[in-house]
Amino acid sequence: MDTFESFWDFDDDGSSVATSTADMPRIPAGTHTLKVKGVEIVQAKSDKLKDPNSNPDGLCLQVILEKANHKWLYCDTPFHWRTKVEAICRAARVPLPTKETPIASLVATLKGKIVSVVIEMNQYNGNEYPKVVRWNPSKEPLEAVEKKAAKK
């Protein structure tokens, strides 16, 4: 990545194309099939996402979900919430991490995957926002996914 080509979109005349989702509607409640637009490692903004023993800094796996013509949905999962991290992996059809799994490899394998999630609307400080309450496991077993990848 030596240039901004992958970060900026331009029309043929060189003018910028809007890539912000700020003016788009939020993803509504219900079951949705979404694309993992991005995956980052972030620090929790809330103390309830931290654990004084296993995750005092509150490091989280942030999965950014995308649906056409809607705002992106940011899902922060603390690393010490093992069952939820594994649920994300099952939904994305990627191998479950082990203690030896490099975090960077998990981040790389999740990006671009298609997942099925259940979204509910939550209230916070008078505002309504969508929240993923369930990561639906893929109907295709991981073994089948791994065999397809090996054939490529």
Side-chain angles (χ1 to χ4, degrees):
M1 282 192 280
D2 294 340
T3 68
F4 283 99
E5 182 177 2
S6 63
F7 299 102
W8 296 341
D9 293 329
F10 293 93
D11 285 338
D12 290 338
D13 65 359
S15 63
S16 178
V17 175
T19 57
S20 170
T21 62
D23 295 331
M24 296 181 181
R26 295 179 189 269
I27 299 172
T31 301
H32 298 276
T33 300
L34 306 172
K35 181 178 180 182
V36 177
K37 177 180 179 20
V39 183
E40 301 288 334
I41 307 305
V42 298
Q43 191 165 4
K45 296 175 185 148
S46 169
D47 285 340
K48 69 181 179 179
L49 298 180
K50 298 177 183 178
D51 181 273
N53 298 319
S54 62
N55 193 0
D57 294 330
L59 291 179
C60 295
L61 180 70
Q62 183 179 73
V63 179
I64 305 165
L65 300 174
E66 175 179 47
K67 180 175 181 156
N69 302 316
H70 289 80
K71 290 183 180 191
W72 299 331
L73 179 55
Y74 293 79
C75 308
D76 292 357
T77 302
F79 286 150
H80 63 280
W81 290 5
R82 180 178 176 179
T83 54
K84 190 167 179 186
V85 170
E86 290 178 349
I88 293 168
C89 292
R90 285 185 184 97
R93 295 184 290 286
V94 300
L96 299 181
T98 65
K99 288 183 179 181
E100 293 78 30
T101 302
I103 293 170
S105 71
L106 178 61
V107 168
T109 59
L110 287 172
K111 189 171 182 184
K113 297 292 184 180
I114 303 298
V115 296
S116 173
V117 297
V118 176
I119 295 174
E120 290 181 357
M121 300 309 285
N122 280 352
Q123 297 283 333
Y124 182 73
N125 286 341
N127 295 319
E128 189 175 62
Y129 67 95
K131 178 180 180 180
V132 173
V133 294
R134 178 173 164 81
W135 295 82
N136 294 324
S138 168
K139 291 183 170 71
E140 187 174 9
L142 181 58
E143 295 79 28
V145 173
E146 289 173 338
K147 286 179 186 176
K148 284 181 186 177
K151 289 181 182 179
K152 290 183 180 180

